[in-house]
Amino acid sequence: MSQWSQVQQLEIKFLEQVDQFYDDNFPMEIRHLLAQWIESQDWEAASNNEAMATILLQNLLIQVDEQLDRVSQEKNLLLIHNLKRTRKLLQGKYHGNPMHIAVIISNCLREERRILAAASMPVQGPLEKSLQNSVVSERQRNVEHKVSAIKNSAQMTDQDVKYLEDLQEEFDFRYKTIQSLEQSDKNSALIKQEMLALQAMLNTLDYKRKEVLSKIGRVIHEIDMLMSNMLTEELLDWKRRQQIACIGGPLHGGLDQLQNCFTLLAESLFQVRRQLEKLDELLTRLTYDGDPIPVQRPQLMEKVNFLLYNLFRNSFVVERQPCMPTHPQRPMVLKTLIQFTVKLRLLIKLPELNYQIRVKATIDKNVSTVSNRRFVLCGTHVKAMNMDESANGSLSVEFRHLQPKEMKSSAGSKGNEGPHMVTEELHSISFETQVCLYGLTINLETSSLPVVMISNVSQLPNAWASIIWYNLSTNDPQNLSFFNNPPAATLSQLLEVLSWQFSSYVGRGLNSEQLNMLAEKLMGQQVSYSDYQLSWAKFCKEHLPGKSFTFWVWLEAILDLIKKHILPLWIDGYVMGFVSKEKERILLKDKTPGTFLLRFSESNLGGITFTWVDQLENGEVTFHSVEPYNKGRLAALPFADILRDYKVIMADNVPENPLKYLYPDIPKDKAFGKHYSCQPNEVSKPSDGGVKGYVPSVFIPVSKILNDSTDPHSPSDLLPMSPSVYAVLREHLSPTAIETALSSPYSTD
């Protein structure tokens, strides 16, 4: 079943998450029509290879043309129109930057895998539960309801102001008419009656002025209360959800809803402002003793301007945090002289602002960091916000060609370049602009979440650990001195985030058993980790007991191994992975001989091994584990093929494959058959293939198990190697390869 077919079968709550990341940048219609073809291409590789991306873009357009031909025959007018529009959009948007479409499609496919993984993992951690709090959802509905009510109140007040204006015009006309009469006419009974009517009208005007000012005051108060309480909380919740999503957590939505609320409130405030200006006009034409307008209007206008200032200031947000396109799953880690992207949005969507707001990007503005390292931004760092680049017409700007450059200090050094100090330094990218609208000038500024600057890609794992720890431990958007004294993290929350690393990076999260093993790895013993606090040093700086590497380096190496060499097996759930040697023996001891499981090495970085259970003639159960396979060996031979072709030479020199059933009882070929690169190896005839009659050859991994009686006990028990044989080996093999070949195929891992 294709990935897209699996996505379509998800529950509605997961489908809503999928809907969030498909827009005009890559329409869902194209994803649906070209599902099989899209999934068969290597978009991730193309995102770092311009030539490959160019070819894929051309092929994508060809595929769209073929779909156009098909629907043209079916005379589906709507689909024909949409496909023509989409083709024009894709060609125009990505013709000069084909790698960008490769990045977008790669991200969409990865997010789909993450959502599929989340849907298949029923375990929900404390962080995810807190983000899905029913109280938060209720507040969202209340905010939208109140904003709608405020908008209606402002519009109704508009009608009151219009009535007041009409009433005053009538009064003005009738009053001027009387004033134009001769003095003798003014003493008539009719005129005296008209004067009494005018006095009553003036009383009504006074009452209506007070009423309008009171209604305006209530609208302003409602806006003030909404902004101070619920809307501010909504915005902070969105920013917190963004932090969590950046480190692999659930996709965060709600920005479009916030934009609708901010926009309606801005429209209401500007409407109230116009009402107050209209009252000022009425004041210049008519005033009297006790007139409420000159007393109340200045204070109300000052309050409106203050609310507009705060509303605009809070509406300027970083919609997508800084990220290198080459490492989309590692946002906020930036490498010097490598381009990164970042997207800003103004949540107040007013047509008058389109292309009028120019945003300037700077780094570490007015900030003193903990080191001597200083950076400047190269590339286009001033751009105008517009409504053309976003699918929903929001007012946004995306910087795509910024790159940080390190400035040398006066001493000529680059500051503190220790392996941890560099990756624990936090920097800030700031954005500033100015809004000029209806006589108001408002200066706006916002900043990205703290970023880590690296000068070498080898620093990326530790830098990403810093980003994880920061965004897990605090919702402070700008604590650049965080690592001067990093707080501890709750182990249960950290384990949840670690599971997210696997779901976001390699498409499948960790179950409770795997998380328990990681908890034991961190704690050194089996504990209840619900409330346990783990230090930053324990996570990323201190070596594991008896090892030369930290917990995080060990885990990152496993992620890299899965991504590059065993991804399909991991996604299928056939790699148990995180299980201790003690636990694997408990699991296998009662199983059928030949049952095996796959686990990650605890002593070798980025290694995977398999252990199978066997039974001796006397009924004794034995366990065998092969030397861990690392990325070097797996690059030469796919792991599924290794499992298929693996042979053991027993004491009687008969080779056989001991691997029969994947734990608990899945036949090996049923589990891994679809991942074999070719059919099982068979003895071929000369005519079956090869060159000029040669029989095709394959690599077969072989181990030898010796009985105790035949085990060599010392170097003198080994058969000697002749000088001529050793000379031939040295000519064709490196010393490392010879040492590997002569070493035991087994280890204690």
Side-chain angles (χ1 to χ4, degrees):
M1 183 184 296
S2 70
Q3 181 172 305
W4 185 245
S5 297
Q6 296 177 56
V7 167
Q8 291 175 288
Q9 295 178 11
L10 290 171
E11 297 178 22
I12 186 65
K13 65 177 182 179
F14 295 111
L15 289 175
E16 288 174 353
Q17 295 180 27
V18 174
D19 184 60
Q20 291 175 16
F21 53 82
Y22 280 105
D23 51 30
D24 277 354
N25 288 321
F26 181 46
M28 187 183 288
E29 206 162 39
I30 297 300
R31 174 69 180 100
H32 179 76
L33 290 172
L34 305 179
Q36 293 282 2
W37 181 82
I38 287 171
E39 291 174 29
S40 65
Q41 312 304 312
D42 193 347
W43 297 100
E44 186 163 351
S47 65
N48 297 312
N49 186 319
E50 187 168 0
M52 185 177 178
T54 302
I55 294 172
L56 278 182
L57 176 59
Q58 293 172 349
N59 289 340
L60 175 63
L61 296 175
I62 291 172
Q63 292 288 328
V64 174
D65 287 337
E66 291 178 357
Q67 290 295 322
L68 260 173
D69 291 340
R70 181 182 63 80
V71 298
S72 296
Q73 296 173 6
E74 299 172 1
K75 298 183 179 179
N76 188 332
L77 184 61
L78 180 61
L79 191 53
I80 292 171
H81 171 79
N82 288 342
L83 282 176
K84 284 183 177 179
R85 175 182 172 276
T86 298
R87 192 197 188 288
K88 183 178 180 181
L89 183 147
L90 292 174
Q91 187 169 25
K93 195 161 192 166
Y94 302 113
H95 176 71
N97 189 10
M99 291 171 64
H100 190 50
I101 182 66
V103 169
I104 290 172
I105 297 179
S106 175
N107 288 346
C108 288
L109 293 175
R110 185 180 65 256
E111 293 298 345
E112 285 178 11
R113 289 194 297 270
R114 180 167 74 165
I115 292 172
L116 287 169
S120 65
M121 300 294 290
V123 178
Q124 191 181 54
L127 273 175
E128 188 169 353
K129 286 179 181 177
S130 68
L131 296 175
Q132 298 177 357
N133 194 324
S134 59
V135 176
V136 175
S137 300
E138 183 66 25
R139 189 179 64 236
Q140 291 172 347
R141 289 189 290 269
N142 286 339
V143 168
E144 292 176 358
H145 174 74
K146 286 184 177 294
V147 167
S148 179
I150 288 170
K151 183 65 176 175
N152 289 335
S153 296
Q155 290 174 343
M156 291 179 66
T157 306
D158 244 7
Q159 298 175 13
D160 291 327
V161 172
K162 183 67 170 66
Y163 173 79
L164 182 61
E165 184 180 14
D166 293 340
L167 185 64
Q168 182 167 317
E169 285 181 359
E170 182 184 355
F171 174 86
D172 189 54
F173 174 76
R174 292 171 67 174
Y175 180 76
K176 287 181 178 178
T177 300
I178 292 177
Q179 290 296 316
S180 65
L181 295 176
E182 296 293 335
Q183 185 63 37
S184 59
D185 296 332
K186 292 180 181 180
N187 295 326
S188 67
L190 186 63
I191 296 303
K192 289 181 178 179
Q193 186 177 357
E194 178 68 10
M195 290 295 292
L196 290 174
L198 285 176
Q199 182 61 51
M201 188 177 289
L202 184 61
N203 292 339
T204 303
L205 274 172
D206 182 64
Y207 173 78
K208 282 296 181 183
R209 284 188 174 188
K210 291 176 179 176
E211 183 183 49
V212 167
L213 287 166
S214 176
K215 287 184 177 181
I216 290 175
R218 284 199 296 271
V219 171
I220 293 172
H221 178 72
E222 289 294 326
I223 294 174
D224 189 11
M225 295 301 294
L226 183 64
M227 287 174 54
S228 301
N229 299 317
M230 289 190 290
L231 192 62
T232 299
E233 289 183 32
E234 277 296 291
L235 185 60
L236 290 175
D237 280 345
W238 177 84
K239 290 181 177 180
R240 181 57 180 161
R241 291 196 300 271
Q242 185 189 51
Q243 276 189 281
I244 297 302
C246 284
I247 55 175
L251 288 173
H252 70 297
L255 198 57
D256 289 343
Q257 290 87 338
L258 277 172
Q259 176 180 287
N260 184 56
C261 293
F262 270 83
T263 300
L264 288 177
L265 286 181
E267 290 173 350
S268 298
L269 282 169
F270 278 120
Q271 194 169 20
V272 168
R273 201 167 182 269
R274 287 192 296 270
Q275 292 165 2
L276 290 171
E277 289 171 349
K278 176 58 69 175
L279 291 181
D280 193 41
E281 290 179 18
L282 297 179
L283 178 66
T284 59
R285 284 149 46 187
L286 174 65
T287 188
Y288 48 86
D289 290 341
D291 189 348
I293 293 179
V295 176
Q296 298 182 38
R297 180 193 166 280
Q299 297 174 354
L300 293 174
M301 182 64 83
E302 183 180 356
K303 186 67 174 178
V304 168
N305 289 340
F306 176 76
L307 291 175
L308 277 169
Y309 169 78
N310 280 335
L311 191 68
F312 269 96
R313 187 187 62 181
N314 289 321
S315 73
F316 192 38
V317 299
V318 180
E319 179 178 354
R320 192 164 59 241
Q321 294 293 330
C323 182
M324 295 185 292
T326 52
H327 295 83
Q329 293 135 328
R330 299 290 188 264
M332 284 97 78
V333 177
L334 307 180
K335 185 178 180 297
T336 52
L337 302 181
I338 296 296
Q339 289 184 352
F340 67 90
T341 65
V342 61
K343 187 174 183 180
L344 287 296
R345 191 198 284 201
L346 192 70
L347 298 179
I348 297 173
K349 178 185 172 182
L350 298 175
E352 302 93 321
L353 297 175
N354 198 21
Y355 284 101
Q356 299 303 311
I357 302 178
R358 299 182 65 81
V359 180
K360 179 182 178 182
T362 55
I363 186 168
D364 288 341
K365 179 188 177 184
N366 301 325
V367 171
S368 177
T369 57
V370 295
S371 77
N372 295 322
R373 303 175 78 208
R374 293 291 181 269
F375 298 87
V376 293
L377 290 179
C378 302
T380 305
H381 63 281
V382 178
K383 290 188 69 176
M385 302 190 91
N386 65 82
M387 299 179 182
D388 303 333
E389 293 189 8
S390 58
N392 60 355
S394 61
L395 194 60
S396 59
V397 60
E398 183 173 9
F399 291 90
R400 298 175 183 168
H401 305 292
L402 294 174
Q403 53 181 311
K405 179 181 179 181
E406 186 166 2
M407 300 174 64
K408 290 188 176 181
S409 65
S410 57
S413 67
K414 289 189 177 182
N416 228 329
E417 286 285 353
H420 289 290
M421 285 305 298
V422 169
T423 57
E424 292 170 20
E425 292 173 6
L426 300 176
H427 300 265
S428 173
I429 300 176
S430 302
F431 306 90
E432 56 186 355
T433 187
Q434 189 178 78
V435 173
C436 299
L437 189 65
Y438 304 138
L440 279 178
T441 299
I442 304 173
N443 295 319
L444 306 180
E445 186 169 347
T446 190
S447 298
S448 70
L449 289 169
V451 299
V452 173
M453 296 294 182
I454 61 174
S455 53
N456 191 296
V457 75
S458 64
Q459 297 168 327
L460 194 146
N462 278 336
W464 179 240
S466 297
I467 295 298
I468 288 175
W469 201 266
Y470 182 92
N471 291 287
L472 166 65
S473 304
T474 180
N475 54 10
D476 187 338
Q478 281 298 296
N479 183 5
L480 300 186
S481 59
F482 175 85
F483 284 103
N484 286 350
N485 184 25
T490 303
L491 183 57
S492 58
Q493 292 186 343
L494 176 62
L495 292 174
E496 184 181 6
V497 173
L498 295 183
S499 179
W500 291 345
Q501 303 312 299
F502 283 82
S503 62
S504 63
Y505 195 67
V506 291
R508 186 181 183 87
L510 305 179
N511 59 34
S512 57
E513 292 298 321
Q514 292 167 323
L515 292 174
N516 281 332
M517 189 271 188
L518 290 183
E520 292 177 27
K521 191 82 172 173
L522 283 164
M523 302 308 306
Q525 57 182 336
Q526 190 167 359
V527 294
S528 174
Y529 54 79
S530 57
D531 298 319
Y532 190 85
Q533 297 288 311
L534 187 79
S535 69
W536 163 245
K538 190 88 171 176
F539 175 67
C540 191
K541 300 181 75 172
E542 298 175 359
H543 287 178
L544 289 169
K547 304 295 188 295
S548 61
F549 45 80
T550 65
F551 171 85
W552 172 249
V553 168
W554 171 73
L555 199 68
E556 177 77 6
I558 290 172
L559 281 165
D560 189 60
L561 173 80
I562 296 173
K563 181 75 170 179
K564 295 178 179 177
H565 300 290
I566 58 170
L567 185 61
L569 280 61
W570 174 261
I571 290 176
D572 284 349
Y574 292 145
V575 181
M576 187 174 292
F578 297 103
V579 56
S580 65
K581 287 175 285 188
E582 295 76 13
K583 183 65 177 291
E584 76 173 358
R585 281 158 174 71
I586 295 173
L587 295 174
L588 292 173
K589 68 178 182 179
D590 296 325
K591 293 298 178 181
T592 305
T595 302
F596 67 100
L597 56 78
L598 311 178
R599 67 176 179 85
F600 299 121
S601 171
E602 295 184 64
S603 58
N604 292 272
L605 286 178
I608 185 170
T609 182
F610 46 88
T611 300
W612 73 92
V613 63
D614 201 358
Q615 195 171 39
L616 301 178
E617 292 181 0
N618 61 6
E620 181 184 351
V621 175
T622 61
F623 305 93
H624 304 285
S625 298
V626 301
E627 179 184 0
Y629 288 85
N630 56 25
K631 59 183 181 181
R633 299 172 71 185
L634 294 175
L637 198 60
F639 194 50
D641 289 359
I642 290 173
L643 297 173
R644 178 195 63 195
D645 299 330
Y646 181 75
K647 298 290 190 296
V648 168
I649 300 178
M650 305 300 288
D652 53 3
N653 289 328
V654 177
E656 63 177 55
N657 192 326
L659 309 179
K660 307 299 181 186
Y661 303 98
L662 178 67
Y663 180 88
D665 54 8
I666 308 172
K668 179 185 63 179
D669 290 339
K670 181 179 179 181
F672 303 109
K674 65 180 180 180
H675 302 302
Y676 296 155
S677 60
C678 57
Q679 293 301 314
N681 299 315
E682 297 177 354
V683 177
S684 305
K685 298 178 182 178
S687 59
D688 286 343
V691 180
K692 294 183 180 180
Y694 285 104
V695 177
S697 61
V698 294
F699 290 105
I700 299 178
V702 178
S703 296
K704 186 173 183 179
I705 297 180
L706 301 175
N707 293 331
D708 291 342
S709 58
T710 59
D711 281 348
H713 298 288
S714 67
S716 62
D717 294 321
L718 297 173
L719 292 175
M721 182 182 297
S722 68
S724 59
V725 171
Y726 184 69
V728 171
L729 284 176
R730 289 199 59 180
E731 182 179 350
H732 296 281
L733 298 175
S734 68
T736 303
I738 295 174
E739 182 180 351
T740 301
L742 293 177
S743 65
S744 169
Y746 297 94
S747 73
T748 59
D749 199 325

